[in-house]
């Protein structure tokens, strides 16, 4: 079932729409700037020359997940549920 | 709450699915950010706004009371005064532009106001003591001239003046307090006769009332027809100031009344003779002779003078006019009604 749901999400373009929506909301609420500031600290720590994507990922992702505001989270969940309700078999 | 097509135990699965999808989306966003930052770092433009510590301190956001975020005080020009290059006076900053307009005579209304002021000043006093700077009156801010204008010329309002309401306001205020404190508004209240020389006193007395106030010891600067003082008072002042031999009161009334007035001196005859002679020296009203004869004759419409005034006025004005009947009628109206502005306006326009 999961696979079919995922497939539908992608096929109907809903995944892209959800992605864009999330990005817009995160920028709007200041999440992106917060994360960027955190990145700066990490980079200063690690040294400008030797920073890698993996380093950043390891540092950023958990914090990012935690910092998403509740309103954004709720809205996204709502939309996903609505989609599933509409298109689930 | 929601319409779930699936049954109970599947709900949790569904919820889990929903949350999974959500987590995927968030991770995607984070990854996107990481890539962006990493690329910026490697290309060297990530830390561009932090390179110069000095300038960063210089442009820091200011958070003090009374000052905006750039550190500027917003009302620092409110109380400043600027020196006018023309009249060398200190003018408030917000009043500076209109003042310059009037002072230099270059604004939209400045010429209008200046000619109006000239017209009325020709009728009113010309003493030195009343000399404020010309631009003061031009300013049309409250000034001594405006007070007189407001009080006497109710009919003649400059329709183009932007300050019309302001002069009206002053008029209302003036009328209210005119009986109690007549000199309250004047900062050039009156003249102290002690400081003036005999010539100045004489010229003053030919144009102004001149009666010395009990409380302030100053001379009244209103016109000869000032309602607060009687002609007897005026004559007494002239006697007091100029001596019985040098009085210059040109009033025809004085001539008529001098028969009843008892002078302590034996020079009564001398003074009477001088008064009778002087009516022709009508006060220096204006440059134009026509205007001055009109003014002097029609301003004192005594019985023996009205006919003279009418004839001379009619004659002098009709000469320059197309419609003779109209102008002579105007003259008759003007001389009997004693309204100075209407007098001055036609005479100036016709000459």
């Amino acid at each position: 079932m999961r696979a079919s749901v995922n497939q539908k999400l992608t096929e109907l373009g809903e995944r892209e729409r959800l992605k864009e929506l999330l990005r817009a909301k995160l920028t709007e609420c200041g999440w992106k700037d917060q994360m960027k500031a955190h990145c700066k600290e990490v980079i200063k720590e690690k040294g400008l020359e030797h920073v890698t994507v993996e380093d950043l990922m390891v540092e950023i992702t958990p914090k990012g997940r935690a910092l998403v505001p509740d309103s954004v989270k709720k809205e996204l969940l709502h939309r996903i549920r609505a989609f599933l309700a509409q298109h689930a078999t | 709450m929601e319409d779930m097509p699936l049954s109970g135990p599947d709900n949790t699965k569904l919820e889990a699915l929903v949350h999974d999808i959500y987590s995927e989306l968030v991770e995607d966003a984070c990854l996107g950010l990481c890539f962006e930052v990493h690329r910026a770092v490697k290309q060297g433009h990530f830390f561009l706004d932090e390179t110069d510590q000095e300038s960063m301190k210089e442009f820091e956001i200011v958070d003090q009371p009374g000052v905006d975020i750039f550190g500027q005080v917003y009302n620092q020009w409110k109380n400043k005064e600027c020196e006018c290059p023309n009249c060398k006076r200190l003018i408030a900053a917000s009043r500076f532009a209109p003042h310059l307009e009037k002072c230099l005579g270059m604004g939209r209304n400045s010429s209008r106001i200046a000619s109006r002021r000239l017209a009325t000043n020709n009728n009113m006093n010309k003493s030195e003591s009343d000399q404020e700077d010309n631009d003061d009156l031009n300013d049309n801010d409250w000034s001594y001239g405006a007070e007189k204008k407001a009080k006497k010329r109710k009919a003649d309002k400059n329709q183009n003046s932007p300050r019309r309401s302001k002069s009206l306001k002053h008029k209302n205020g003036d009328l209210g307090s005119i009986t109690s404190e007549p000199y309250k508004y004047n900062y050039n209240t009156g003249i102290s006769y002690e400081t003036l020389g005999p010539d100045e006193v004489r010229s003053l007395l030919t144009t102004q009332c001149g009666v010395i106030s009990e409380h302030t010891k100053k001379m009244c600067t209103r016109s000869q027809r000032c309602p607060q003082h009687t002609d007897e008072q005026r004559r007494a002042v002239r006697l007091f100031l100029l001596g019985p031999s040098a009085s210059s009161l040109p009033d025809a009334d004085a001539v008529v009344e001098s028969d009843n007035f008892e002078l302590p001196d034996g020079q009564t005859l001398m003074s009477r003779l001088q008064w009778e002679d002087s009516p022709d020296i009508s006060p220096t009203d204006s440059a134009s002779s026509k205007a001055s004869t009109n003014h002097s004759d029609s301003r004192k419409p005594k019985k023996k003078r009205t006919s003279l005034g009418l004839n001379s006025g009619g004659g002098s004005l009709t000469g320059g006019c197309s419609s003779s009947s109209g102008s002579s009628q105007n003259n008759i109206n003007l001389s009997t009604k004693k309204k100075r502005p209407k007098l001055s306006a036609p005479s100036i326009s016709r000459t």
Side-chain angles (χ1 to χ4, degrees), chain A residues 4-55:
Chain A
S4 63
V5 166
N6 283 332
Q7 196 185 359
K8 268 209 175 135
L9 261 178
T10 315
E11 272 174 9
L12 296 176
E14 187 65 17
R15 178 163 259 151
E16 284 305 314
R17 276 194 286 271
L18 286 171
K19 264 196 207 169
E20 283 311 311
L21 178 71
L22 181 62
R23 247 179 231 150
K25 286 212 174 276
L26 287 176
T27 314
E28 205 180 271
C29 70
W31 176 90
K32 196 171 176 186
D33 299 321
Q34 264 180 304
M35 297 310 296
K36 262 194 174 171
H38 187 61
C39 290
K40 277 185 190 168
E41 289 167 24
V42 170
I43 293 165
K44 277 177 191 161
E45 216 181 298
K46 293 267 161 90
L48 197 64
E49 295 301 320
H50 306 294
V51 93
T52 60
V53 182
E54 288 78 17
D55 283 341

Side-chain angles (χ1 to χ4, degrees), chain B residues 101-347:
Chain B
E101 229 188 350
K102 307 294 188 302
C103 191
L104 295 171
M106 272 177 13
R108 269 177 65 234
N109 293 324
S110 57
S111 60
R112 242 189 306 253
I113 290 169
S115 56
R116 176 168 63 128
R117 181 184 62 80
L118 274 173
T120 57
N121 263 358
N122 287 337
N123 283 333
M124 299 186 185
N125 49 47
K126 289 219 156 193
S127 69
E128 286 111 303
S129 58
D130 192 29
Q131 293 305 327
E132 296 145 22
D133 287 336
N134 284 345
D135 60 302
D136 229 6
L137 297 172
N138 276 338
D139 258 347
N140 224 3
D141 294 336
W142 188 88
S143 66
Y144 176 70
E147 184 216 357
K148 286 198 130 191
K149 261 188 271 185
K151 186 180 171 238
K152 304 222 160 140
R153 296 200 299 157
K154 291 172 197 167
D156 181 26
K157 293 171 193 167
N158 187 349
Q159 299 297 328
N160 296 326
S161 167
R163 297 279 190 153
R164 174 154 59 120
S165 55
K166 191 166 182 184
S167 65
L168 279 180
K169 270 189 242 163
H170 287 299
K171 176 188 82 171
N172 290 334
D174 288 348
L175 289 179
S177 67
I178 217 98
T179 45
S180 54
E181 284 182 299
Y183 308 129
K184 185 182 173 190
Y185 297 97
N186 265 332
Y187 59 91
N188 196 8
T189 305
I191 307 102
S192 191
Y193 58 89
E194 294 142 5
T195 59
L196 297 176
D199 284 335
E200 292 172 344
V201 168
R202 209 173 291 129
S203 65
L204 247 167
L205 288 176
T206 52
T207 55
Q208 294 177 8
C209 170
V211 172
I212 297 172
S213 159
E214 283 292 312
H215 347 276
T216 68
K217 304 289 179 220
K218 291 202 175 165
M219 297 165 64
C220 174
T221 51
R222 290 167 184 261
S223 77
Q224 295 274 359
R225 311 217 66 76
C226 143
Q228 286 182 292
H229 302 116
T230 65
D231 286 331
E232 293 220 358
Q233 283 177 301
R234 285 189 265 274
R235 195 171 317 103
V237 159
R238 276 157 184 77
L239 274 181
F240 169 67
L241 286 177
L242 302 169
S245 58
S247 168
S248 58
L249 186 64
D251 205 341
D253 258 340
V255 178
V256 172
E257 291 173 7
S258 66
D259 297 335
N260 304 328
F261 185 73
E262 290 179 357
L263 293 172
D265 259 329
Q267 294 176 341
T268 317
L269 209 55
M270 286 286 291
S271 51
R272 261 193 239 163
L273 283 174
Q274 294 199 328
W275 280 339
E276 284 177 22
D277 282 341
S278 57
D280 294 337
I281 314 168
S282 63
T284 54
D285 285 333
S286 67
S288 108
S289 56
K290 286 182 199 173
S292 62
T293 45
N294 279 340
H295 290 168
S296 62
D297 288 341
S298 354
R299 199 200 289 178
K300 299 136 192 157
K302 307 298 173 290
K303 283 180 188 172
K304 46 171 143 177
R305 296 223 173 248
T306 16
S307 53
L308 272 179
L310 280 176
N311 288 342
S312 64
S316 60
L317 284 188
T318 43
C321 267
S322 47
S323 58
S324 55
S325 56
S327 66
S328 58
Q329 277 175 5
N330 279 341
N331 269 341
I332 292 166
N333 291 337
L334 292 171
S335 54
T336 49
K337 281 184 191 170
K338 287 196 259 179
K339 273 196 181 169
R340 276 172 224 145
K342 284 194 181 166
L343 267 180
S344 59
S347 61

Side-chain angles (χ1 to χ4, degrees), chain B residues 33 61 95 177 180:
Chain B
L33 180 71
I61 290 177
R95 293 294 314 153
S177 67
S180 54

Side-chain angles (χ1 to χ4, degrees), chain A residues 2 15 19 22 32 35 40 43-44 48-49 51-53 57 65 68 73 77 80-81 84, chain B residues 2 15 17-22 24-25 27-28 31 33 35-36 38 41-42 46-47 50:
Chain A
R2 272 186 179 221
R15 178 163 259 151
K19 264 196 207 169
L22 181 62
K32 196 171 176 186
M35 297 310 296
K40 277 185 190 168
I43 293 165
K44 277 177 191 161
L48 197 64
E49 295 301 320
V51 93
T52 60
V53 182
M57 249 170 56
R65 253 191 249 124
V68 174
K73 183 172 180 179
L77 288 174
I80 296 167
R81 271 190 219 111
L84 285 181
Chain B
E2 288 165 304
E15 273 304 301
L17 181 58
V18 166
H19 278 274
D20 278 344
I21 294 173
Y22 166 77
E24 242 181 83
L25 288 171
E27 236 178 84
D28 224 26
L31 256 182
L33 180 71
F35 285 137
E36 204 184 303
H38 182 260
V41 166
K42 291 301 173 186
F46 189 60
F47 283 113
E50 285 175 9

